[in-house]
């Protein structure tokens, strides 16, 4: 059973303060209402992907902006939004027991004003921002905000400390990419399925592809194959579904339900031997398919040694995930835990409640237990 992240503590990450979660499981359901911190916990877990890499933190800071069609935040603004606004010292911290080792990622620093040459700023700006900046500029040099800090990490008993800096108007261009991750973690946003390219990893494994086709046939029994062709004009790959009646149909012509299932299947294949984070798993899936799709998710995660964290505010989705376990015959084995968060109003700490799937299932059946509160 793949449990790569066994325990975790998150402090000062977005709206999460002093959160501790013990006894994480193979499948972890993060339940709660909107704005309870579910997505923030998934984002914080991504810090464990490469705790010593500052670029990893910058990537995490941009995730919500890249998934939003309306966001116009700069890299610096997105980065600063990782920190609680009412604390002068800007700190984020996560500590976890991963693969039997204590892993720490801690960033601490402060905001400062620095002087820069306007030409250094203008070359990184869009046309609209450049025109506004020139209009408001009144000297040869300008003051801008910057963040100066230290990133401390500990992996496998080895500590590392790196000075970091990022300034307003700065971009990610030219930053060296660290290709080696400590822990492979794949994150699927609620809108991941609309991006396209959801069958790439599925096609690499014939037996897994067959399993995925069986799931798609729940939606349409005439689906017989998945494949990719290249566009003759721009040579870009296009994803297709082979339909017994309709012929070869681009996946883009199908509904969100099929795309969502393929996105989850592709995520499991990508996360093999690692961790998969699925935010708002119920998005685009009709509740009548929950039992079959979630059973596929749990079975495939076990088969490919993937530890899964899913967030949801749907009680029907929680029931569907719990129904993948045969609690009437499983005496001790339980692959699912249900985690709920609650924020303390005065101290602003975040508390967790971790319940065994068996406990939730039993009390949901007998007493209509509301696990999201």
């Amino acid at each position: 059973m793949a449990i790569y992240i066994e325990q975790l503590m998150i402090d000062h990450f977005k709206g999460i303060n002093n959160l501790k979660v013990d006894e994480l499981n193979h499948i972890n359901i993060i339940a709660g209402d909107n704005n309870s911190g579910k997505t923030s916990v998934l984002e914080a877990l991504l810090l464990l992907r490469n705790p010593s890499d500052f670029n990893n933190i910058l990537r995490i800071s941009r995730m919500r902006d890249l998934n939003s069609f309306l966001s116009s935040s700069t890299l610096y603004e997105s980065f600063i939004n990782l920190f609680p606004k009412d604390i002068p010292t800007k700190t984020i911290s996560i500590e976890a027991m991963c693969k039997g080792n204590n892993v720490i990622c801690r960033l601490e620093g402060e905001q400062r004003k620095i002087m820069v040459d306007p030409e250094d700023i203008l070359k990184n700006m869009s046309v609209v921002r450049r025109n506004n900046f020139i209009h408001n500029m009144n000297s040869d040099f300008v003051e801008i905000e910057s963040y100066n800090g230290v990133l401390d990490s500990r992996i496998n008993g080895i500590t590392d400390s790196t000075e970091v800096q990022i300034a307003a108007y700065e971009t990610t261009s030219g930053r060296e990419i660290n290709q080696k991750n400590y822990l492979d973690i794949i994150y699927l946003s609620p809108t991941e399925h609309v991006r396209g390219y959801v069958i790439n990893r599925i096609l690499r494994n014939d037996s897994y592809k067959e399993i995925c086709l069986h799931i798609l046939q729940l939606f349409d029994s005439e689906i017989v194959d998945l494949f990719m062709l290249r566009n003759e004009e721009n040579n870009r790959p296009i994803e297709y579904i082979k339909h017994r009646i309709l012929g070869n149909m681009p996946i883009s012509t199908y509904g969100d339900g099929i795309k969502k299932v393929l996105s989850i299947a592709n995520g499991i294949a990508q996360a093999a031997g690692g961790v998969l984070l699925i935010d708002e798993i119920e998005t685009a899936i009709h509740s009548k398919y929950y039992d079959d799709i979630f059973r596929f998710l749990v079975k495939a995660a076990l088969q490919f040694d993937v530890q899964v964290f899913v967030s949801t505010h749907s009680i029907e989705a929680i029931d569907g995930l719990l129904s993948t376990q045969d609690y009437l015959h499983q005496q001790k084995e339980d692959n699912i835990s249900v985690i709920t968060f609650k924020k303390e109003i005065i101290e602003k700490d975040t508390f967790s409640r971790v319940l065994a799937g068996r406990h939730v299932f039993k009390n949901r059946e007998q007493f209509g237990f509301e696990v999201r509160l």
Side-chain angles (χ1 to χ4, degrees):
M1 186 165 63
I3 302 179
Y4 304 104
I5 305 173
E6 304 161 37
Q7 304 170 343
L8 71 121
M9 182 180 75
I10 304 169
D11 197 18
H12 295 133
F13 182 86
K14 294 195 171 181
I16 302 172
N17 297 307
N18 200 27
L19 170 66
K20 297 179 182 179
V21 185
D22 294 321
E23 300 180 7
L24 293 170
N25 210 332
H26 188 97
I27 309 293
N28 302 275
I29 304 172
I30 300 175
D33 290 332
N34 291 327
N35 299 316
S36 61
K38 302 187 301 297
T39 298
S40 294
V41 169
L42 295 183
E43 292 170 337
L45 286 170
L46 285 167
L47 293 169
L48 300 173
R49 181 168 52 193
N50 199 327
S52 61
D53 185 11
F54 183 57
N55 287 336
N56 183 46
I57 297 176
L58 294 180
R59 285 180 175 180
I60 294 168
S61 74
R62 293 294 282 166
M63 282 174 39
R64 296 200 197 187
D65 296 315
L66 295 175
N67 289 323
S68 172
F69 298 106
L70 300 176
S71 175
S72 60
S73 299
T74 65
L75 173 64
Y76 182 77
E77 290 167 340
S78 299
F79 171 74
I80 290 299
N81 285 335
L82 291 178
F83 305 95
K85 292 180 172 55
D86 54 350
I87 300 177
T89 302
K90 301 297 183 182
T91 303
I92 57 176
S93 174
I94 183 169
E95 182 173 353
M97 187 61 66
C98 294
K99 299 187 287 190
N101 296 301
N102 184 242
V103 177
I104 297 173
C105 176
R106 179 179 175 83
L107 177 64
E108 182 172 347
E110 60 182 13
Q111 288 178 273
R112 301 174 182 172
K113 293 283 188 179
I114 61 173
M115 297 290 291
V116 295
D117 187 330
E119 290 298 325
D120 292 335
I121 298 175
L122 289 172
K123 62 185 179 183
N124 292 324
M125 282 187 174
S126 65
V127 174
V128 174
R129 285 181 177 270
R130 187 184 297 121
N131 291 337
N132 289 335
F133 182 80
I134 292 173
H135 177 74
N136 295 320
M137 188 174 64
N138 54 17
S139 68
D140 293 335
F141 288 87
V142 294
E143 278 189 3
I144 64 170
E145 283 191 353
S146 73
Y147 175 90
N148 295 70
V150 176
L151 175 61
D152 292 316
S153 64
R154 181 181 177 88
I155 307 174
N156 295 337
I158 300 174
T159 59
D160 184 61
S161 185
T162 306
E163 292 187 2
V164 298
Q165 182 186 48
I166 181 173
Y169 305 108
E170 193 170 335
T171 69
T172 54
S173 178
R175 289 184 175 271
E176 183 179 355
I177 297 174
N178 190 331
Q179 299 285 358
K180 188 176 180 181
N181 292 331
Y182 168 69
L183 188 61
D184 289 329
I185 306 179
I186 301 298
Y187 172 83
L188 302 182
S189 75
T191 58
E192 191 75 26
H193 57 283
V194 303
R195 292 169 172 262
Y197 301 106
V198 293
I199 67 172
N200 185 39
R201 294 295 181 103
I202 297 172
L203 297 180
R204 299 181 187 182
N205 186 318
D206 288 340
S207 59
Y208 187 53
K209 175 183 168 182
E210 288 301 315
I211 295 171
C212 296
L213 283 171
H214 287 310
I215 296 299
L216 292 182
Q217 287 163 359
L218 294 172
F219 294 86
D220 188 339
S221 61
E222 302 299 332
I223 292 175
V224 295
D225 200 5
L226 295 168
F227 62 97
M228 297 182 76
L229 294 175
R230 291 200 172 270
N231 186 300
E232 294 181 358
E233 295 182 1
N234 57 25
N235 204 36
R236 292 183 61 182
I238 301 176
E239 301 170 309
Y240 280 89
I241 287 176
K242 184 175 183 179
H243 194 276
R244 189 175 284 110
I245 298 173
L246 301 176
N248 298 336
M249 301 289 293
I251 288 178
S252 59
T253 63
Y254 280 84
D256 283 350
I258 284 180
K259 295 176 189 175
K260 178 76 171 191
V261 172
L262 286 171
S263 176
I264 291 173
N266 200 43
I268 294 170
Q270 283 184 280
V275 179
L276 177 63
L277 315 176
I278 308 176
D279 197 6
E280 295 185 17
I281 191 171
E282 71 275 10
T283 303
I285 302 176
H286 194 284
S287 58
K288 69 179 180 180
Y289 297 121
Y290 281 175
D291 286 352
D292 291 303
I293 292 172
F294 294 160
R295 200 169 297 279
F296 156 73
L297 167 66
V298 173
K299 182 179 179 180
L302 290 167
Q303 179 181 345
F304 287 86
D305 291 325
V306 178
Q307 185 180 19
V308 179
F309 293 80
V310 303
S311 76
T312 182
H313 50 74
S314 166
I315 197 65
E316 292 81 12
I318 296 170
D319 290 340
L321 285 160
L322 293 174
S323 70
T324 64
Q325 305 295 292
D326 187 5
Y327 287 121
L328 297 179
H329 295 93
Q330 293 174 207
Q331 297 302 314
K332 293 183 179 180
E333 182 183 0
D334 194 347
N335 293 321
I336 296 180
S337 290
V338 181
I339 307 166
T340 309
F341 303 124
K342 182 179 180 181
K343 293 181 180 179
E344 205 278 334
I345 297 176
I346 298 177
E347 297 296 330
K348 298 184 179 179
D349 286 349
T350 307
F351 297 96
S352 68
R353 178 183 64 181
V354 182
L355 298 174
R358 182 190 311 277
H359 173 83
V360 177
F361 178 82
K362 180 180 178 180
N363 284 278
R364 284 283 302 145
E365 288 285 304
Q366 296 180 357
F367 306 109
F369 179 56
E370 176 52 84
V371 71
R372 295 170 297 178
L373 301 179

Short mmCIF file of all heavy atoms in Angstrom, two decimals, residues 303-340:
data_model
loop_
_atom_site.label_atom_id
_atom_site.label_comp_id
_atom_site.label_asym_id
_atom_site.label_seq_id
_atom_site.Cartn_x
_atom_site.Cartn_y
_atom_site.Cartn_z
N GLN A 303 -3.14 -0.24 -7.87
CA GLN A 303 -2.37 -0.97 -8.87
C GLN A 303 -1.08 -0.23 -9.23
O GLN A 303 -0.03 -0.86 -9.43
CB GLN A 303 -3.21 -1.16 -10.13
CG GLN A 303 -2.49 -1.89 -11.27
CD GLN A 303 -3.36 -2.04 -12.50
OE1 GLN A 303 -4.58 -1.86 -12.44
NE2 GLN A 303 -2.76 -2.35 -13.63
N PHE A 304 -1.13 1.11 -9.31
CA PHE A 304 0.03 1.89 -9.73
C PHE A 304 0.77 2.54 -8.56
O PHE A 304 1.62 3.40 -8.76
CB PHE A 304 -0.41 2.97 -10.73
CG PHE A 304 -0.75 2.43 -12.08
CD1 PHE A 304 -2.03 1.95 -12.35
CD2 PHE A 304 0.19 2.38 -13.09
CE1 PHE A 304 -2.36 1.46 -13.59
CE2 PHE A 304 -0.12 1.88 -14.34
CZ PHE A 304 -1.40 1.40 -14.60
N ASP A 305 0.46 2.11 -7.34
CA ASP A 305 1.14 2.61 -6.13
C ASP A 305 1.07 4.14 -6.03
O ASP A 305 2.09 4.83 -5.89
CB ASP A 305 2.59 2.16 -6.09
CG ASP A 305 2.72 0.67 -5.87
OD1 ASP A 305 1.89 0.11 -5.13
OD2 ASP A 305 3.66 0.06 -6.42
N VAL A 306 -0.15 4.67 -6.13
CA VAL A 306 -0.37 6.11 -6.06
C VAL A 306 -1.12 6.44 -4.77
O VAL A 306 -2.18 5.87 -4.51
CB VAL A 306 -1.19 6.61 -7.28
CG1 VAL A 306 -1.45 8.10 -7.17
CG2 VAL A 306 -0.45 6.29 -8.57
N GLN A 307 -0.57 7.35 -3.98
CA GLN A 307 -1.31 7.89 -2.84
C GLN A 307 -2.16 9.05 -3.34
O GLN A 307 -1.67 9.92 -4.06
CB GLN A 307 -0.36 8.37 -1.74
CG GLN A 307 -1.08 8.83 -0.47
CD GLN A 307 -0.13 9.31 0.61
OE1 GLN A 307 1.03 9.64 0.34
NE2 GLN A 307 -0.61 9.36 1.84
N VAL A 308 -3.43 9.05 -2.97
CA VAL A 308 -4.37 10.01 -3.52
C VAL A 308 -4.93 10.93 -2.43
O VAL A 308 -5.29 10.47 -1.35
CB VAL A 308 -5.55 9.29 -4.23
CG1 VAL A 308 -6.54 10.30 -4.79
CG2 VAL A 308 -5.02 8.39 -5.35
N PHE A 309 -4.99 12.22 -2.75
CA PHE A 309 -5.68 13.21 -1.93
C PHE A 309 -6.75 13.85 -2.81
O PHE A 309 -6.41 14.42 -3.86
CB PHE A 309 -4.72 14.30 -1.43
CG PHE A 309 -3.69 13.81 -0.46
CD1 PHE A 309 -2.55 13.15 -0.90
CD2 PHE A 309 -3.85 14.01 0.91
CE1 PHE A 309 -1.59 12.70 -0.01
CE2 PHE A 309 -2.90 13.57 1.81
CZ PHE A 309 -1.76 12.91 1.35
N VAL A 310 -8.00 13.73 -2.43
CA VAL A 310 -9.07 14.37 -3.19
C VAL A 310 -9.82 15.34 -2.29
O VAL A 310 -10.07 15.05 -1.12
CB VAL A 310 -10.06 13.34 -3.79
CG1 VAL A 310 -9.33 12.35 -4.68
CG2 VAL A 310 -10.83 12.59 -2.72
N SER A 311 -10.15 16.49 -2.82
CA SER A 311 -10.98 17.44 -2.08
C SER A 311 -12.38 17.42 -2.64
O SER A 311 -12.58 17.22 -3.84
CB SER A 311 -10.38 18.85 -2.15
OG SER A 311 -10.65 19.43 -3.41
N THR A 312 -13.36 17.63 -1.78
CA THR A 312 -14.75 17.67 -2.22
C THR A 312 -15.61 18.36 -1.17
O THR A 312 -15.30 18.34 0.03
CB THR A 312 -15.30 16.25 -2.47
OG1 THR A 312 -16.65 16.34 -2.94
CG2 THR A 312 -15.28 15.41 -1.21
N HIS A 313 -16.69 19.01 -1.63
CA HIS A 313 -17.71 19.50 -0.70
C HIS A 313 -19.02 18.79 -0.96
O HIS A 313 -20.08 19.21 -0.48
CB HIS A 313 -17.89 21.02 -0.80
CG HIS A 313 -18.09 21.53 -2.18
ND1 HIS A 313 -19.26 21.36 -2.89
CD2 HIS A 313 -17.26 22.19 -3.01
CE1 HIS A 313 -19.14 21.92 -4.07
NE2 HIS A 313 -17.94 22.43 -4.19
N SER A 314 -18.96 17.68 -1.72
CA SER A 314 -20.15 16.91 -2.07
C SER A 314 -20.27 15.67 -1.17
O SER A 314 -19.39 14.81 -1.18
CB SER A 314 -20.09 16.47 -3.53
OG SER A 314 -21.04 15.46 -3.81
N ILE A 315 -21.34 15.59 -0.40
CA ILE A 315 -21.54 14.41 0.45
C ILE A 315 -21.79 13.18 -0.41
O ILE A 315 -21.44 12.06 -0.02
CB ILE A 315 -22.71 14.66 1.44
CG1 ILE A 315 -22.65 13.63 2.58
CG2 ILE A 315 -24.04 14.64 0.75
CD1 ILE A 315 -21.44 13.73 3.47
N GLU A 316 -22.38 13.36 -1.60
CA GLU A 316 -22.59 12.23 -2.50
C GLU A 316 -21.26 11.67 -3.00
O GLU A 316 -21.11 10.45 -3.15
CB GLU A 316 -23.45 12.66 -3.70
CG GLU A 316 -24.89 13.00 -3.37
CD GLU A 316 -25.05 14.41 -2.82
OE1 GLU A 316 -24.07 15.20 -2.89
OE2 GLU A 316 -26.14 14.73 -2.32
N ALA A 317 -20.29 12.55 -3.25
CA ALA A 317 -18.97 12.09 -3.67
C ALA A 317 -18.27 11.33 -2.54
O ALA A 317 -17.62 10.31 -2.78
CB ALA A 317 -18.12 13.28 -4.11
N ILE A 318 -18.43 11.81 -1.32
CA ILE A 318 -17.84 11.10 -0.17
C ILE A 318 -18.45 9.71 -0.04
O ILE A 318 -17.73 8.71 0.12
CB ILE A 318 -18.06 11.91 1.13
CG1 ILE A 318 -17.31 13.25 1.05
CG2 ILE A 318 -17.59 11.11 2.35
CD1 ILE A 318 -17.64 14.20 2.16
N ASP A 319 -19.77 9.64 -0.14
CA ASP A 319 -20.44 8.33 -0.07
C ASP A 319 -19.97 7.42 -1.20
O ASP A 319 -19.77 6.21 -1.01
CB ASP A 319 -21.96 8.51 -0.14
CG ASP A 319 -22.54 9.14 1.12
OD1 ASP A 319 -21.85 9.09 2.17
OD2 ASP A 319 -23.66 9.67 1.05
N GLY A 320 -19.79 7.99 -2.40
CA GLY A 320 -19.35 7.19 -3.54
C GLY A 320 -17.96 6.63 -3.33
O GLY A 320 -17.68 5.46 -3.66
N LEU A 321 -17.06 7.43 -2.78
CA LEU A 321 -15.70 6.96 -2.52
C LEU A 321 -15.68 5.90 -1.43
O LEU A 321 -14.96 4.90 -1.53
CB LEU A 321 -14.81 8.15 -2.13
CG LEU A 321 -14.40 9.06 -3.30
CD1 LEU A 321 -13.96 10.41 -2.79
CD2 LEU A 321 -13.28 8.40 -4.12
N LEU A 322 -16.49 6.08 -0.38
CA LEU A 322 -16.55 5.09 0.69
C LEU A 322 -17.14 3.77 0.21
O LEU A 322 -16.77 2.69 0.70
CB LEU A 322 -17.38 5.64 1.86
CG LEU A 322 -16.78 6.83 2.61
CD1 LEU A 322 -17.76 7.36 3.64
CD2 LEU A 322 -15.47 6.44 3.30
N SER A 323 -18.03 3.82 -0.77
CA SER A 323 -18.66 2.61 -1.26
C SER A 323 -17.70 1.72 -2.05
O SER A 323 -18.02 0.58 -2.37
CB SER A 323 -19.88 2.95 -2.14
OG SER A 323 -19.47 3.53 -3.37
N THR A 324 -16.50 2.24 -2.34
CA THR A 324 -15.51 1.41 -3.04
C THR A 324 -14.91 0.36 -2.10
O THR A 324 -14.23 -0.57 -2.56
CB THR A 324 -14.36 2.28 -3.60
OG1 THR A 324 -13.64 2.90 -2.52
CG2 THR A 324 -14.91 3.35 -4.53
N GLN A 325 -15.13 0.53 -0.80
CA GLN A 325 -14.61 -0.43 0.18
C GLN A 325 -15.72 -1.39 0.62
O GLN A 325 -16.87 -0.98 0.79
CB GLN A 325 -14.07 0.31 1.41
CG GLN A 325 -13.02 1.37 1.09
CD GLN A 325 -11.76 0.76 0.51
OE1 GLN A 325 -11.02 0.06 1.18
NE2 GLN A 325 -11.52 1.04 -0.77
N ASP A 326 -15.37 -2.64 0.81
CA ASP A 326 -16.34 -3.65 1.26
C ASP A 326 -16.24 -3.76 2.79
O ASP A 326 -15.69 -4.72 3.32
CB ASP A 326 -16.04 -4.99 0.60
CG ASP A 326 -17.10 -6.04 0.91
OD1 ASP A 326 -18.11 -5.68 1.56
OD2 ASP A 326 -16.92 -7.19 0.51
N TYR A 327 -16.81 -2.77 3.46
CA TYR A 327 -16.66 -2.71 4.92
C TYR A 327 -17.40 -3.83 5.64
O TYR A 327 -17.12 -4.11 6.80
CB TYR A 327 -17.13 -1.34 5.44
CG TYR A 327 -16.17 -0.22 5.10
CD1 TYR A 327 -16.59 0.88 4.34
CD2 TYR A 327 -14.86 -0.25 5.53
CE1 TYR A 327 -15.73 1.91 4.02
CE2 TYR A 327 -13.98 0.78 5.22
CZ TYR A 327 -14.42 1.85 4.47
OH TYR A 327 -13.55 2.87 4.17
N LEU A 328 -18.36 -4.47 4.97
CA LEU A 328 -19.08 -5.56 5.61
C LEU A 328 -18.21 -6.80 5.75
O LEU A 328 -18.43 -7.63 6.64
CB LEU A 328 -20.34 -5.90 4.80
CG LEU A 328 -21.38 -4.79 4.70
CD1 LEU A 328 -22.55 -5.24 3.83
CD2 LEU A 328 -21.87 -4.39 6.09
N HIS A 329 -17.18 -6.92 4.89
CA HIS A 329 -16.32 -8.09 4.93
C HIS A 329 -14.87 -7.76 5.31
O HIS A 329 -14.14 -8.62 5.77
CB HIS A 329 -16.33 -8.81 3.58
CG HIS A 329 -17.68 -9.37 3.22
ND1 HIS A 329 -18.60 -8.67 2.46
CD2 HIS A 329 -18.27 -10.54 3.53
CE1 HIS A 329 -19.69 -9.40 2.31
NE2 HIS A 329 -19.53 -10.53 2.94
N GLN A 330 -14.45 -6.50 5.11
CA GLN A 330 -13.10 -6.10 5.52
C GLN A 330 -13.08 -5.92 7.04
O GLN A 330 -13.71 -5.01 7.57
CB GLN A 330 -12.70 -4.77 4.85
CG GLN A 330 -12.52 -4.87 3.35
CD GLN A 330 -12.28 -3.52 2.70
OE1 GLN A 330 -12.58 -3.31 1.54
NE2 GLN A 330 -11.74 -2.58 3.46
N GLN A 331 -12.35 -6.76 7.71
CA GLN A 331 -12.32 -6.70 9.18
C GLN A 331 -11.43 -5.57 9.68
O GLN A 331 -11.79 -4.84 10.60
CB GLN A 331 -11.85 -8.05 9.74
CG GLN A 331 -12.78 -9.20 9.41
CD GLN A 331 -14.19 -8.97 9.92
OE1 GLN A 331 -14.40 -8.56 11.07
NE2 GLN A 331 -15.18 -9.22 9.06
N LYS A 332 -10.24 -5.42 9.08
CA LYS A 332 -9.31 -4.40 9.55
C LYS A 332 -8.85 -3.46 8.43
O LYS A 332 -8.62 -2.29 8.67
CB LYS A 332 -8.09 -5.06 10.20
CG LYS A 332 -8.40 -5.80 11.49
CD LYS A 332 -7.13 -6.36 12.11
CE LYS A 332 -7.43 -7.07 13.43
NZ LYS A 332 -6.20 -7.64 14.04
N GLU A 333 -8.70 -4.01 7.24
CA GLU A 333 -8.16 -3.21 6.14
C GLU A 333 -9.08 -2.03 5.82
O GLU A 333 -10.29 -2.17 5.73
CB GLU A 333 -8.01 -4.09 4.89
CG GLU A 333 -7.40 -3.36 3.71
CD GLU A 333 -7.34 -4.23 2.47
OE1 GLU A 333 -7.78 -5.41 2.55
OE2 GLU A 333 -6.87 -3.74 1.44
N ASP A 334 -8.48 -0.87 5.67
CA ASP A 334 -9.23 0.34 5.35
C ASP A 334 -8.29 1.29 4.62
O ASP A 334 -7.38 1.86 5.22
CB ASP A 334 -9.79 1.00 6.61
CG ASP A 334 -10.85 2.05 6.29
OD1 ASP A 334 -10.95 2.44 5.11
OD2 ASP A 334 -11.56 2.48 7.21
N ASN A 335 -8.50 1.47 3.32
CA ASN A 335 -7.61 2.29 2.51
C ASN A 335 -8.00 3.76 2.48
O ASN A 335 -7.32 4.55 1.82
CB ASN A 335 -7.59 1.77 1.07
CG ASN A 335 -6.95 0.39 0.96
OD1 ASN A 335 -5.96 0.12 1.63
ND2 ASN A 335 -7.52 -0.46 0.14
N ILE A 336 -9.08 4.13 3.18
CA ILE A 336 -9.61 5.49 3.07
C ILE A 336 -9.64 6.19 4.44
O ILE A 336 -10.03 5.59 5.44
CB ILE A 336 -11.03 5.49 2.47
CG1 ILE A 336 -10.99 4.96 1.03
CG2 ILE A 336 -11.64 6.88 2.48
CD1 ILE A 336 -12.33 4.91 0.33
N SER A 337 -9.23 7.46 4.42
CA SER A 337 -9.43 8.34 5.58
C SER A 337 -10.17 9.58 5.11
O SER A 337 -10.01 10.02 3.96
CB SER A 337 -8.10 8.75 6.21
OG SER A 337 -7.48 7.66 6.85
N VAL A 338 -10.99 10.15 6.00
CA VAL A 338 -11.73 11.37 5.70
C VAL A 338 -11.23 12.46 6.64
O VAL A 338 -11.24 12.31 7.86
CB VAL A 338 -13.25 11.17 5.88
CG1 VAL A 338 -13.99 12.45 5.52
CG2 VAL A 338 -13.74 10.01 5.01
N ILE A 339 -10.77 13.56 6.04
CA ILE A 339 -10.15 14.65 6.80
C ILE A 339 -11.00 15.90 6.66
O ILE A 339 -11.33 16.32 5.55
CB ILE A 339 -8.73 14.93 6.30
CG1 ILE A 339 -7.90 13.64 6.28
CG2 ILE A 339 -8.05 15.98 7.17
CD1 ILE A 339 -6.61 13.76 5.49
N THR A 340 -11.35 16.49 7.79
CA THR A 340 -12.13 17.73 7.79
C THR A 340 -11.34 18.81 8.51
O THR A 340 -10.66 18.53 9.51
CB THR A 340 -13.48 17.53 8.50
OG1 THR A 340 -14.13 16.39 7.95
CG2 THR A 340 -14.38 18.74 8.30
#
